[in-house]
Amino acid sequence: MSMEFGVIDSSWHRQDCDAAVLILNQEAESSQLNQTADERLDGLLAELTASGEWTGGNGDILVIHRPAEISARRLVLLGAGRRGDCDGARLRDRMVQVVRQFRGSEVERIAVAGWDALDSALSIQACAEGLVIGCYEPDEYKTRDRSRTKIGQALFCSDDPARTTELQEALNRGQILGEATNLARSLVNQPGNRVNPSRLAEKARSLAEKSDLQIEILDEPAMEDEGMGALLAVARGSAEPARMIVLKHFGAEDNGAPPVVLIGKGVTFDSGGLSLKTSQGMEEMKADKAGACAVLAAMKAVSQLRLRKNVVGILPAVENMPSGRAQRPGDVVRSMSGKTIEVLNTDAEGRLILADAIHFARGLNPACMVDIATLTGACVIALGHIRAGLFSNDDRLAGSFFKASERAGERFWRLPLDDEYRTLLDSHIADIKNVGKRAAGAVTAAKFLQEFVGDTPWCHIDMAGVDMFQEGGANRGPTGFGVRTMVELASLYPDS
Ligand code: BES
Ligand code: MN
Ligand code: ZN
């Protein structure tokens, strides 16, 4: 069930709803909202501030039931910290918190005030995203003990009727991006026995049929005709056949205009192959398709937003398994580009399938390419679970990328691509080997991909550390990372 969003030009205290949510900052004196709230509450807010029970710190929450002078049944004071530190990401997180707070309760209709912390269109978009994202529950396979939110309507109070249309559009955009994020999360959550490459392709097809996206699915014989020897080498060890899924959005005036191409690693389960992982290392490897799921969800959003651009999504999908037919460490395979690869570690499979997907993408004459992948444990060591690694051969594209990431509230850190790192991949018997040593593992993986990129402006996202929420957060399971940044990038590139 999807949430309904609206803008109302009326004050928060007159809203007849289950909860009026006031986003308040730490600098209480300077805020008009704080003052009116304090007056309505007959000085209670000042009293709680004096007693130290309310500071407005980021994440603080205070629920006041049946407030006398207010139409809402509950008043929710939500701290967002210092005003100067309050950005879209913080608003988004606070809205997730509101939804989690009323999970399992009867709260259905809420009103929100004080959302206007920055350029307001982006503020309100971030709030809508947070409310939608907070609703996601990974309970599809639970037969009991489900607990969901009942919040179905959120009205945002505004005192500027001239901006209603603009704000409503920002809410709609936020809703689309929030829903796309949740779509990625629920796909990533699908276990390996439920979603294999052909099931992922079916899901992509049913999405395309319900939208204006064109779809083409390459099966193994078609990929053999294309010479995709690197991808097919990974697929050999699995009983599940591989797929290459291609989704196209034609939004530019000219269907032939160079597209923005998004490529997502779709390993539906990564056992490591014959270079088998440990049991612990395998536990979360159903999520090794997170890049592909992010691209699929981004394509859905691009289509719903009717972006006036051509955008293509490419999802190379395989399962990486050991078997009597599996590729062996030491094998040499021939990629679609013609370059030969010495496969010394079958667990470095993502770069093999991406090599062929990237070469395939070049045939589409792209304006730029972005690939996103849970590629290396080394990137998790480097950046932990806060930022994803970003690599780019083009400073202008990287600049656009960071603008997009700021709008999306997703964090990245740029890592290097110096040519000296490439020598770590020199092979004695083939053009390149698929692993270096331990040193700079995230960089050598990126250098491997770059080998297949050519001159096209390109970004590589290593999202290995940020695909799942860590224990203890309000949210659980997959993050849906990358969806919003990719959509924002497709919206603004190459203009800014
Ligand atoms: N899917 C893994 C990377 C990964 C590790 C993602 C941990 C999320 C959490 C990838 O296919 C892999 O196994 N990479 C190897 C590469 C190595 C063999 C060069 C790794 O990082 O250990
Ligand atoms: Mn692997
Ligand atoms: Zn992998």
Side-chain angles (χ1 to χ4, degrees):
M1 195 188 65
S2 91
M3 206 181 278
E4 182 195 325
F5 290 101
V7 182
I8 38 167
D9 101 59
S10 140
S11 187
W12 56 272
H13 57 82
R14 282 198 288 271
Q15 281 316 302
D16 177 20
C17 58
D18 297 309
V21 178
L22 306 190
I23 304 170
L24 298 175
N25 294 105
Q26 222 154 341
E27 301 91 342
E29 332 66 63
S30 61
S31 151
Q32 181 66 44
L33 186 58
N34 252 293
Q35 278 165 29
T36 48
D38 191 46
E39 280 159 27
R40 290 264 146 207
L41 291 169
D42 196 21
L44 179 64
L45 197 49
E47 212 175 294
L48 293 174
T49 305
S51 71
E53 283 161 275
W54 174 255
T55 67
N58 188 33
D60 287 0
I61 191 162
L62 194 70
V63 183
I64 299 166
H65 292 263
R66 281 206 260 130
E69 299 290 311
I70 293 160
S71 312
R73 264 148 317 285
R74 296 167 194 75
L75 183 61
V76 180
L77 305 183
L78 195 60
R82 294 184 194 291
R83 195 169 175 85
D85 300 336
C86 191
D87 57 4
R90 184 169 284 189
L91 289 172
R92 196 178 290 105
D93 287 349
R94 297 288 64 78
M95 290 298 115
V96 169
Q97 185 186 5
V98 168
V99 178
R100 306 310 289 176
Q101 173 83 19
F102 294 113
R103 183 171 172 257
S105 85
E106 295 299 312
V107 171
E108 283 176 32
R109 294 164 60 236
I110 67 171
V112 183
W115 46 267
D116 199 353
L118 30 121
D119 151 40
S120 48
L122 204 51
S123 286
I124 207 166
Q125 178 186 323
C127 287
E129 287 169 9
L131 288 173
V132 173
I133 290 168
C135 291
Y136 174 72
E137 296 289 345
D139 61 7
E140 197 180 326
Y141 299 115
K142 276 188 181 287
T143 60
R144 57 199 180 124
D145 300 334
R146 287 183 178 197
S147 179
R148 292 189 174 177
T149 180
K150 287 193 182 157
I151 298 177
Q153 187 192 57
L155 300 177
F156 288 75
C157 305
S158 153
D159 50 16
D160 187 357
R163 299 192 68 192
T164 304
T165 312
E166 178 204 357
L167 297 178
Q168 184 65 53
E169 270 168 22
L171 284 174
N172 295 348
R173 188 179 172 90
Q175 178 164 30
I176 287 171
L177 289 171
E179 284 172 359
T181 304
N182 286 350
L183 170 63
R185 296 171 75 191
S186 95
L187 286 173
V188 173
N189 242 332
Q190 298 299 320
N193 65 336
R194 299 275 175 165
V195 166
N196 52 36
S198 31
R199 285 285 298 140
L200 188 62
E202 280 169 34
K203 287 186 185 277
R205 190 185 296 285
S206 79
L207 172 74
E209 277 164 7
K210 282 183 259 159
S211 66
D212 285 333
L213 294 166
Q214 310 286 305
I215 187 164
E216 196 187 325
I217 298 169
L218 282 70
D219 59 11
E220 288 192 344
M223 288 189 274
E224 240 154 84
D225 289 346
E226 297 277 1
M228 297 182 180
L231 184 151
L232 290 167
V234 178
R236 284 183 64 85
S238 172
E240 297 296 339
R243 294 286 186 270
M244 177 82 84
I245 305 157
V246 184
L247 288 156
K248 294 184 178 171
H249 166 80
F250 293 104
E253 264 166 46
D254 173 7
N255 273 1
V260 171
V261 178
L262 310 173
I263 305 168
K265 171 179 172 182
V267 177
T268 58
F269 183 74
D270 181 12
S271 71
L274 286 176
S275 311
L276 198 65
K277 289 182 183 293
T278 59
S279 322
Q280 216 197 352
M282 250 182 252
E283 256 175 36
E284 282 193 340
M285 283 303 136
K286 68 171 185 184
D288 211 21
K289 59 186 181 308
C293 299
V295 169
L296 183 62
M299 291 305 295
K300 179 178 185 194
V302 159
S303 163
Q304 286 180 309
L305 291 167
R306 301 183 189 286
L307 288 201
R308 303 180 69 80
K309 298 275 173 60
N310 294 339
V311 186
V312 177
I314 300 180
L315 289 60
V318 299
E319 186 182 51
N320 189 23
M321 297 291 262
S323 82
R325 281 175 44 82
Q327 66 173 337
R328 293 152 285 260
D331 280 2
V332 174
V333 302
R334 190 187 152 87
S335 68
M336 185 184 175
S337 72
K339 289 190 180 170
T340 55
I341 304 166
E342 184 184 9
V343 180
L344 288 173
N345 190 321
T346 64
D347 198 10
E349 84 296 341
R351 61 197 78 180
L352 295 175
I353 70 170
L354 289 170
D356 281 343
I358 287 169
H359 186 82
F360 178 81
R362 281 176 70 185
L364 303 170
N365 182 32
C368 70
M369 296 191 266
V370 178
D371 78 76
I372 178 164
T374 46
L375 203 62
T376 68
C379 195
V380 188
I381 301 301
L383 299 174
H385 307 286
I386 313 296
R387 287 180 190 258
L390 177 73
F391 299 83
S392 183
N393 62 354
D394 186 286
D395 289 344
R396 197 159 156 260
L397 173 61
S400 302
F401 189 93
F402 278 106
K403 268 187 202 154
S405 76
E406 218 159 284
R407 288 184 60 90
E410 295 180 318
R411 287 180 281 179
F412 298 82
W413 197 258
R414 195 163 174 188
L415 294 167
L417 285 169
D418 302 284
D419 281 333
E420 287 86 342
Y421 290 109
R422 170 63 180 79
T423 60
L424 300 170
L425 298 174
D426 289 343
S427 162
H428 296 304
I429 63 164
D431 297 330
I432 192 167
K433 56 185 186 183
N434 79 328
V435 284
K437 299 237 167 65
R438 260 167 68 90
V443 184
T444 51
K447 289 305 284 181
F448 181 92
L449 298 181
Q450 191 180 15
E451 191 80 9
F452 301 89
V453 167
D455 299 328
T456 308
W458 159 73
C459 277
H460 157 57
I461 304 168
D462 192 333
M463 63 169 295
V466 294
D467 58 334
M468 301 293 247
F469 285 111
Q470 298 306 297
E471 282 300 309
N475 251 318
R476 291 285 152 81
T479 56
F481 186 93
V483 175
R484 298 193 306 277
T485 298
M486 285 191 285
V487 175
E488 298 285 8
L489 179 73
S491 309
L492 59 82
Y493 188 80
D495 314 314
S496 64

